[in-house]
């Protein structure tokens, strides 16, 4: 919530060793204010978000029918502690010696963390005690459900962490360290700012219902609870297995499109055409997976052989379709100097037209005379293709883990060792074969993982019950392809000569050209690979049944191509960053469903958050120039005088 | 339907009218975009600005008329649509200001900043609609739409009148000269005492206001409500028309007429057996790509376009 920033108010007050007293006073004041007016914890919450709030002033019961309450009489003592802590922290800014100041702040921060942990323990203990007492008194089920800490407690945690960071900043090179971590600092600050903006929107959009005779303070407390609950719901999927599965499901296409955009960025190209590349990839996957795989001259093939041919072939077709659609604007830029942004946008619309042309109807008449017949649309009102042949389908993740659905629809089977062993073999081989050169190392590691997969497949599995909730999530093997795409991106960009040259073109095109690199070739290549990555997202939707059916459907959500821009920017174009930010957006989208259900806030809030994150990252998180300007940042890291 | 029916008045008159109407949106937006791009700021956010303008116009008109309509259903009050248009322009200008702050003051990549605004326009309207109407896809219907003069909304006439006006402002006034110099060579302009930042801010805000106007025409001129994603890429087509029109008012008039005609043709031929409308709809995009590649004439952008100015 609180953004430490230095340098913005230069001249207004004296700086001591990098910490600006004004900012420290401000953050301390905001912390105390939050502690005073926000709910500290929620004892229970009913469906629809009405909660029984615990504040430092007492209980605020918005639900009205609470049957039990945890005993939190100790909260007052801790409040006094936090007030004292904040005052001491503010006073410490006047200690003249930087080293002792740093030490004091470290101590304060650590004490704060310990006290926070103690508070959390006491709270949960009190809730369990209240529940047990009610159960012992004959209640059928525990009266306190969906209890949690709330904004007041979170604020004290954040404040303790802030004190630790301030301590580090007192020491020499503190701010240079922050600048070195700008790849994390800028996205995190942008995300926090976007969350604050989202909180304001929620505050405005949703009204709260208060009990009678409520004071203005109660109104603010209830509003802050609403805001906190919104974000608790958004991040809620992280707490359940099915939430993780659903988040990964949404993240899978985002990983592909995020990588596609990031790949372009590395080569200095802005590929805004991922939606179109995805569409063409989906069409190609459909052509191979539906029409080639079930063509009558392949009907005699045994299932295993057909699978070995058509599954890889249709995946490659998706990549090839995307690559083709990406290479065109690349070629136009290389050959004619036409800017790729406009061209990729145009090609999005052309792809959408092609898609609609193929999937919306099977018969077109031209000039009232000639009729064109096409075999692609499945009969019926809805625009969708025929089903993908069995041999070209990507299995569901639960299938890969060894579970199967029988005729009655129930899930049986046991957790197979195949996938875990394959992963372990891959990692072990990769780590052990450090001495080999990269290509051989990768090849052998992949071989080891295949061996691990088969060995694991023959081992008896762990009998396990699969919850129907988990089984209903259609997370499929496309996620594994996505994981490989992340690894490929990492390998190609930072471990091969081609990748090095691409990045050189992106960073300094003129220098790269003097170095003997053909910019034209690199542009086409980069756009083609970028397009291929976007096209692979189609494997999730068409071959993996990501939208409920193994078909190409008119409801293909091509917008994930645009979301890829947000993913790439938030992930700062690094492989791990792209993966994590795709996961984050997957979590937020999954939580957005709950948001709609519980609070009636449209899930478009998540889209708004994404947009704001992009906007704020574009503005460098509104941080000082030495964070955002590469040259200034490098000077700051090197400790050049006068930069910080 | 035979080919001969294409040359009857029953087909041609509505085709002409639809062409003018769909051109209006593109023309207003593209002329606005011209100010921004001539001053050196890429404005890919036109699409989002149209959407925000359309949303503001429909929602504000509906809210303003609500107390009157509740008393006398179907009442027509002349000033309501005009206030709504004004508000749409203000909001469009505000969005332009955001784009300007991020890309001029914070020196962001202008394309990324614009993309962020477009993403915002895809999400925020739903939240507003749910707040006012408990409906995520469209607003309530507006009774007090823009009037029609001789069959067309006043904004249609305004759009075409703006072509000579922009031409005059851009090429015959000192301010226009300054604007163009800022887009071509900001360092030189700065040396001559022109305030590069202020000129760019003004240009981007004007661009946002005109796109907001186009949005207002879309929601309370053509239709009588806001529908989610109602601009359907017309901001991007306007951008393409701007490039095709070589950043010149007359060129823009020609290209928007062509694209508007293609759109009108696709609408008029919908359901007929002459040509699948999807093919006609794709036509402007193919043309734009051919133009960009230099197959159909060449198009030279302002020299300093897309580059943040460092003082």
């Amino acid at each position: 919530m609180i953004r430490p920033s230095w340098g913005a108010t230069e001249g207004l007050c004296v700086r001591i060793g990098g910490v600006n007293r004004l900012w420290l006073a401000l953050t301390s004041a905001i912390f105390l204010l939050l502690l005073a007016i926000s709910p500290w914890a929620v004892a229970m919450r009913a469906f629809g978000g009405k909660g029984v709030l615990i504040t430092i002033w007492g209980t605020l019961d918005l639900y009205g029918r609470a049957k039990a309450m945890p005993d939190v009489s100790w909260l007052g003592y801790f409040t006094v502690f936090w007030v004292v802590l904040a005052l001491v922290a503010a006073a410490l800014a006047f200690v003249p010696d930087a080293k002792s100041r740093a030490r004091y702040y470290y101590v304060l921060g650590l004490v704060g963390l310990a006290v926070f942990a103690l508070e959390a323990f006491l709270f949960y203990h009190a809730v369990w005690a209240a529940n047990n007492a009610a159960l012992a008194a004959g209640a059928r089920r525990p009266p306190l459900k969906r209890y949690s800490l709330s904004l007041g407690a979170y604020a004290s945690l954040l404040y303790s962490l802030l004190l630790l960071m301030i301590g580090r900043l007192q020491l020499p090179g503190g701010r240079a360290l922050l600048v070195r971590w700008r790849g994390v600092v800028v996205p995190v600050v942008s995300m926090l700012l976007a969350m604050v903006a989202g909180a304001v929107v929620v505050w405005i959009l949703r009204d709260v219902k208060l009990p009678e005779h409520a004071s203005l303070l109660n109104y603010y407390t209830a509003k802050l609870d609403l805001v906190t609950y919104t974000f608790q719901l958004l991040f809620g999927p992280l707490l359940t297995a099915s939430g993780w599965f659903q988040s990964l499901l949404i993240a899978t296409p985002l990983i592909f499109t995020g990588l596609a955009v990031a790949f372009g960025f590395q080569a200095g190209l802005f590929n805004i055409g991922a939606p179109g590349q995805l569409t063409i990839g989906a069409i190609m996957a459909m052509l191979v997976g539906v029409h080639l795989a079930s063509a009558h001259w392949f009907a005699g093939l045994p299932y295993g052989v057909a699978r070995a041919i058509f599954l890889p072939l249709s995946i490659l077709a998706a990549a090839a379709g995307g690559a083709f659609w990406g290479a065109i604007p690349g070629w136009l830029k290389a050959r004619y100097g036409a800017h790729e942004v406009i061209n990729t946008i145009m090609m999005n619309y052309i792809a959408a037209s092609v898609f609609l042309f193929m999937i919306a109807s099977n018969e077109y008449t031209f000039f009232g005379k000639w009729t064109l017949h096409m075999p692609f649309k499945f009969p019926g009102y809805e625009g969708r293709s025929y089903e993908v042949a069995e041999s070209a389908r990507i299995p569901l993740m639960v299938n890969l883990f060894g579970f199967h659905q029988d005729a009655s629809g129930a899930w049986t089977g046991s957790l197979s060792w195949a996938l875990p062993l394959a992963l372990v073999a891959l990692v072990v081989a990769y780590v052990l074969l450090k001495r080999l050169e990269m290509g051989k190392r990768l090849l052998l590691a992949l071989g080891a993982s295949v061996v691990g997969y088969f060995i694991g497949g023959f081992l008896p599995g762990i009998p396990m019950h699969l919850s129907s909730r988990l089984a209903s999530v259609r997370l499929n093997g496309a996620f594994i392809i996505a994981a490989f795409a992340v690894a490929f991106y990492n390998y190609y960009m930072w471990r091969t000569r081609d990748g090095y040259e691409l990045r050189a073109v992106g960073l300094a095109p003129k220098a790269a050209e003097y170095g003997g690199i053909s910019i034209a070739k690199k542009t086409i290549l980069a756009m083609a690979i970028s397009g291929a990555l976007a096209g692979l997202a189609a494997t999730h939707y068409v071959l993996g049944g990501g939208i409920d059916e193994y078909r190409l459907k008119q409801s293909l959500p091509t917008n994930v191509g645009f979301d890829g821009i947000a993913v790439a920017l938030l992930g700062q174009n690094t492989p791990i960053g792209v993966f994590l930010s795709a996961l984050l957006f997957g979590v937020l989208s999954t939580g957005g469903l709950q948001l709609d259900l519980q609070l009636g806030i449209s899930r478009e809030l998540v889209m708004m958050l994404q947009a704001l994150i992009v906007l704020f990252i574009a503005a460098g998180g509104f941080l000082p120039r030495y964070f955002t300007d590469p040259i200034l940042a490098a000077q700051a890291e090197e400790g050049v005088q006068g930069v910080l | 339907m035979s080919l001969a029916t294409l040359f009857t008045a029953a087909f041609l008159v509505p085709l002409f009218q639809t062409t003018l109407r769909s051109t209006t949106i593109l023309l207003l937006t593209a002329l606005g975009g011209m100010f921004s791009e001539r001053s050196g700021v890429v404005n890919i956010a036109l699409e989002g600005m149209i959407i925000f303008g359309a949303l503001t116009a429909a929602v504000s008109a509906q809210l303003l008329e609500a107390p009157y309509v509740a008393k006398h259903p179907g009442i027509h009050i002349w000033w309501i649509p005009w206030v709504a248009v004004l508000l749409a322009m203000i909001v469009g200008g505000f969005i332009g200001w955001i784009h300007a702050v991020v890309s001029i003051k914070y020196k962001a990549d202008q394309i990324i900043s614009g993309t962020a605004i477009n993403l915002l326009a895809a999400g925020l309207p739903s939240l507003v609609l749910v707040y006012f109407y408990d409906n995520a896809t469209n607003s309530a219907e507006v009774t007090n739409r823009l009037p029609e003069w001789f069959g067309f909304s006043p904004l249609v006439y305004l759009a075409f009148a703006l072509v000579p006006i922009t031409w005059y402002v851009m090429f015959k006034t000192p301010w226009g000269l300054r604007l163009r110099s800022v887009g071509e060579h900001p360092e030189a302009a700065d040396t001559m005492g022109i305030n590069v930042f202020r000129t760019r801010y003004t240009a981007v805000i004007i661009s946002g206001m005109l796109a907001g106007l186009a949005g207002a025409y879309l929601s309370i001129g053509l239709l009588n409500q806001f529908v989610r994603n109602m601009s359907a890429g017309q901001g991007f087509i306007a951008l393409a028309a701007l490039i095709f029109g070589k950043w010149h008012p007359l060129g823009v008039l020609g290209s928007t007429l062509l694209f508007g005609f293609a759109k009108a043709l696709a609408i008029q031929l919908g359901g007929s057996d002459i040509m699948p409308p999807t093919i006609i709809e794709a036509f402007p995009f193919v043309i734009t790509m051919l133009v960009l590649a230099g197959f159909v004439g060449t198009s030279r952008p302002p020299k300093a376009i897309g580059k943040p100015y460092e003082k």
Side-chain angles (χ1 to χ4, degrees):
Chain A
M1 299 271 133
I2 301 154
R3 177 170 67 106
S5 167
W6 291 268
T9 51
E10 222 168 330
L12 268 179
C13 50
V14 189
R15 280 209 226 171
I16 297 182
V19 164
N20 190 309
R21 282 181 206 158
L22 189 71
W23 278 102
L24 187 67
L26 201 65
T27 44
S28 298
I30 290 174
F31 163 61
L32 288 182
L33 188 70
L34 278 180
L35 203 61
I37 63 172
S38 58
W40 187 83
V42 180
M44 69 156 295
R45 206 186 281 281
F47 187 85
K50 283 182 192 161
V52 180
L53 314 181
I54 298 170
T55 71
I56 59 167
W57 312 108
T59 317
L60 174 62
D61 192 349
L62 298 179
Y63 175 54
R65 295 194 298 272
K67 289 188 188 113
M69 277 302 293
D71 174 27
V72 287
S73 51
W74 36 265
L75 192 57
Y77 303 111
F78 287 105
T79 309
V80 174
F81 164 79
W82 289 111
V83 173
V84 172
L85 185 84
L87 291 179
V88 171
L92 279 179
F94 293 92
V95 172
D97 174 37
K99 265 204 174 148
S100 40
R101 217 165 45 227
R103 205 174 304 134
Y104 292 142
Y105 278 118
Y106 278 138
V107 171
L108 282 190
L110 288 176
V111 170
L113 283 184
V115 170
F116 169 78
L118 179 67
E119 277 183 304
F121 169 77
L122 282 177
F123 171 71
Y124 283 108
H125 189 76
V127 169
W128 293 329
N131 270 344
N132 286 339
L135 287 176
R140 276 226 203 117
R141 43 179 100 90
L144 298 179
K145 281 173 298 186
R146 306 209 290 161
Y147 44 86
S148 70
L149 295 177
S150 192
L151 187 59
Y154 298 151
S156 41
L157 174 67
L158 280 180
Y159 187 68
S160 309
L161 291 174
L162 183 79
L163 287 182
L164 285 179
M165 196 180 81
I166 288 176
R168 180 65 187 88
L169 286 174
Q170 305 299 308
L171 297 173
R175 250 190 305 168
L177 186 77
L178 217 55
V179 172
R180 186 168 307 140
W181 282 89
R182 63 187 177 279
V184 178
V185 172
V186 172
V188 166
V189 168
S190 304
M191 214 183 87
L192 290 181
L193 284 179
M195 280 170 70
V196 171
V200 171
V201 168
V202 171
W203 182 295
I204 295 171
L205 285 187
R206 281 281 300 179
D207 226 358
V208 286
K209 279 203 183 96
L210 288 170
E212 282 178 39
H213 312 301
S215 63
L216 190 65
L217 178 70
N218 289 351
Y219 171 74
Y220 287 127
T221 310
K223 278 279 192 184
L224 282 174
D225 173 62
L226 174 76
V227 168
T228 316
Y229 188 47
T230 302
F231 285 103
Q232 283 177 335
L233 282 176
L234 281 180
F235 287 99
L238 287 172
L239 299 178
T240 61
S242 63
W244 271 92
F245 252 54
Q246 182 69 30
S247 305
L248 289 175
L249 173 84
I250 299 179
T252 304
L254 289 180
I255 294 174
F256 286 119
T257 54
L259 285 178
V261 178
F263 202 98
F265 274 138
Q266 290 286 5
L269 297 161
F270 190 18
N271 179 10
I272 206 169
Q277 291 143 15
L278 190 160
T279 308
I280 300 300
I283 291 174
M284 289 298 288
M286 185 271 282
L287 288 179
V288 174
V290 178
H291 294 280
L292 189 67
S294 45
H296 60 88
W297 57 82
F298 294 122
L301 280 180
Y303 180 72
V305 178
R307 199 160 175 70
I309 296 174
F310 291 119
L311 182 59
L313 202 62
S314 41
I315 293 172
L316 283 180
F324 168 66
W325 213 246
I328 295 175
W331 173 71
L332 287 174
K333 174 160 188 158
R335 176 74 177 77
Y336 300 101
H339 202 285
E340 79 277 5
V341 167
I342 301 291
N343 271 335
T344 47
I345 292 175
M346 297 301 117
M347 293 198 59
N348 285 342
Y349 287 106
I350 298 173
S353 287
V354 172
F355 178 58
L356 213 62
F357 187 74
M358 289 182 78
I359 213 78
S361 175
N362 269 341
E363 257 185 37
Y364 291 102
T365 313
F366 291 84
F367 304 110
K369 282 181 196 164
W370 300 287
T371 310
L372 176 71
H373 294 278
M374 293 194 305
F376 304 118
K377 182 179 182 294
F378 188 77
Y381 176 73
E382 196 189 355
R384 55 182 186 168
S385 75
Y386 285 85
E387 273 202 310
V388 174
E390 290 271 352
S391 57
R393 290 183 192 175
I394 296 176
L396 292 177
M397 226 41 187
V398 277
N399 293 139
L400 289 174
F401 276 119
F403 296 95
H404 299 281
Q405 201 169 18
D406 59 21
S408 68
W411 286 88
T412 54
S414 50
L415 186 63
S416 156
W417 284 101
L419 270 192
L421 265 190
L423 187 68
V424 169
L426 182 79
V427 173
V428 167
Y430 186 79
V431 171
L432 285 184
L433 297 172
K434 225 183 296 177
R435 298 239 175 124
L436 290 181
E437 63 171 293
M438 202 62 198
K440 280 183 189 165
R441 188 177 168 193
L442 279 179
L443 218 59
L444 284 174
L446 274 181
S449 90
V450 171
V451 172
Y453 183 82
F454 281 109
I455 293 176
F458 286 116
L459 290 177
I462 312 166
M464 213 171 126
H465 173 70
L466 185 68
S467 78
S468 59
R469 225 186 193 180
L470 207 59
S472 69
V473 180
R474 302 186 64 86
L475 180 65
N476 55 62
F479 175 70
I480 297 179
I481 304 177
F484 274 110
V486 172
F488 161 79
Y489 175 62
N490 184 36
Y491 172 72
Y492 187 86
M493 251 327 152
W494 284 274
R495 297 270 185 267
T496 67
R497 213 180 88 181
D498 273 350
Y500 175 78
E501 290 177 355
L502 275 184
R503 282 182 296 133
V505 171
L507 280 174
K510 281 191 181 144
E513 198 162 28
Y514 281 122
I517 299 170
S518 157
I519 293 187
K521 273 186 196 162
K522 289 293 158 196
T523 303
I524 300 174
L525 180 74
M527 283 303 288
I529 297 180
S530 171
L533 286 167
L536 277 174
T539 58
H540 169 77
Y541 290 119
V542 180
L543 307 174
I547 19 181
D548 300 331
E549 282 179 286
Y550 293 94
R551 299 171 193 268
L552 178 60
K553 293 167 84 172
Q554 201 171 341
S555 59
L556 184 75
T558 50
N559 261 339
V560 297
F562 290 125
D563 296 342
I565 300 166
V567 171
L569 282 171
L570 186 63
Q572 299 279 302
N573 306 328
T574 60
I576 189 75
V578 166
F579 184 85
L580 287 180
S581 48
L583 182 62
L584 175 78
F585 285 142
V587 169
L588 292 181
S589 300
T590 311
L593 285 175
Q594 284 297 316
L595 197 63
D596 213 345
L597 222 58
Q598 300 261 353
L599 288 178
I601 296 174
S602 166
R603 50 194 296 216
E604 266 73 19
L605 182 70
V606 176
M607 282 177 81
M608 197 202 81
L609 286 178
Q610 277 183 20
L612 287 179
I613 289 175
V614 174
L615 191 66
F616 294 157
I617 289 185
F622 302 109
L623 290 167
R625 286 299 305 279
Y626 53 77
F627 273 103
T628 49
D629 187 310
I631 294 170
L632 280 181
Q635 287 174 345
E637 276 185 50
E638 295 297 320
V640 176
Q641 286 291 314
V643 175
L644 286 177
Chain B
M1 193 171 172
S2 72
L3 276 179
T5 52
L6 293 187
F7 301 100
T8 57
F11 182 82
L12 288 178
V13 171
L15 180 67
F16 175 70
Q17 289 171 338
T18 320
T19 303
L20 289 191
R21 286 185 188 125
S22 42
T23 304
T24 299
I25 300 166
L26 299 178
L27 191 55
L28 284 172
T29 317
L31 286 177
M34 191 170 71
F35 281 95
S36 172
E37 303 228 328
R38 280 275 185 176
S39 83
V41 180
V42 178
N43 197 346
I44 204 173
L46 290 171
E47 173 81 3
M49 290 166 175
I50 294 180
I51 293 179
F52 278 115
L55 177 75
T56 314
V59 171
S60 59
Q62 202 276 330
L63 291 181
L64 283 172
E65 72 177 13
Y68 301 99
V69 172
K71 271 186 227 155
H72 312 280
I75 190 175
H76 280 281
I77 304 163
W78 69 271
W79 54 266
I80 284 182
W82 295 107
V83 173
V85 164
L86 194 67
L87 288 172
M89 286 178 75
I90 291 174
V91 168
F94 173 70
I95 303 291
W97 176 79
I98 294 178
H99 182 47
V101 169
V102 173
S103 55
I104 298 171
K105 180 164 185 213
Y106 288 94
K107 304 188 181 4
D109 186 325
Q110 294 161 4
I111 292 171
I112 295 177
S113 158
T115 306
I117 287 172
N118 289 335
L119 288 175
L120 204 59
L124 197 59
S126 289
L127 291 171
V128 175
L129 291 177
V130 168
Y131 179 66
F132 284 117
Y133 308 110
D134 222 355
N135 179 335
T137 52
N138 50 270
S139 74
E141 290 187 6
V142 178
T143 320
N144 290 286
R145 301 171 49 204
L146 282 167
E148 289 202 343
W149 298 345
F150 310 109
F152 293 103
S153 165
L155 294 189
V156 177
Y157 301 107
L158 177 66
F160 286 93
L162 270 177
V163 175
I165 294 175
T166 358
W167 173 79
Y168 183 79
V169 169
M170 196 68 85
F171 296 99
K172 297 291 162 194
T173 63
W175 186 78
L177 180 65
R178 285 186 206 134
L179 184 96
R180 283 181 290 135
S181 71
V182 162
E184 291 290 337
H185 203 313
E187 290 83 3
D190 200 2
T191 325
M192 294 299 289
I194 299 169
N195 188 333
V196 175
F197 292 138
R198 195 170 67 199
T199 313
R200 285 190 172 178
Y201 267 101
T202 318
V204 179
I205 290 173
I206 290 177
S207 154
M209 289 170 74
L210 285 179
L213 193 62
Y217 174 69
L218 194 58
S219 67
I220 61 172
L222 268 182
L223 281 170
N224 57 351
Q225 61 175 171
F226 176 81
V227 183
R228 207 181 156 197
N229 293 336
M230 73 188 307
S231 92
Q234 297 195 69
F236 291 127
I237 302 179
L239 195 66
L242 179 60
I243 297 167
F244 189 14
K246 302 179 186 177
W247 290 271
H248 192 282
L250 292 176
V252 167
L253 176 66
S255 60
T256 49
L257 273 173
L258 178 67
F259 291 172
F261 176 72
K263 172 138 184 150
L265 201 60
I267 293 172
Q268 292 296 313
L269 286 181
S272 77
D273 54 4
I274 305 293
M275 182 72 94
T278 42
I279 290 182
I280 302 170
E281 269 172 11
F283 169 72
F285 307 116
V286 179
I287 287 279
T288 307
M289 290 182 64
L290 293 178
V291 172
L292 274 174
F295 293 131
V296 188
T298 51
S299 190
R300 194 190 66 82
K303 217 167 202 159
I305 200 165
K307 291 183 202 116
Y309 178 59
E310 305 265 358
K311 206 163 184 170

